[in-house]
Amino acid sequence: MLEAWAGLRPGTSDGLPIIGPTSLPGYFMAAGHYREGILLAPVTAQLVAQLVLGEKVAYDISAFRPGRFAA
């Protein structure tokens, strides 16, 4: 064997990424993109930058909110 590679591609139980502010003030999440991480990186970066800067977010990201798994 000349080469091996293993990568972590974390996903969520509902298949959607986690994007948005957390319950801790000033902390934001962008995770769980699974296989589409490299493809979604530009739009995720744009959304997180808008959130951090307090700007209007370009898309409806309510389906991706971090708190959706809380009981």
Side-chain angles (χ1 to χ4, degrees):
M1 182 155 90
L2 298 174
E3 188 175 331
W5 178 82
L8 299 176
R9 296 179 179 170
T12 61
S13 58
D14 63 3
L16 297 174
I18 301 169
I19 304 171
T22 67
S23 59
L24 297 171
Y27 285 88
F28 300 85
M29 286 190 70
H33 290 74
Y34 192 48
R35 286 184 226 159
E36 291 80 20
I38 193 74
L39 300 173
L40 295 175
V43 70
T44 299
Q46 175 191 11
L47 295 171
V48 172
Q50 291 170 339
L51 288 167
V52 170
L53 295 172
E55 297 175 356
K56 184 176 187 284
V57 179
Y59 304 99
D60 177 13
I61 61 170
S62 59
F64 309 128
R65 69 192 185 290
R68 70 183 188 268
F69 300 108

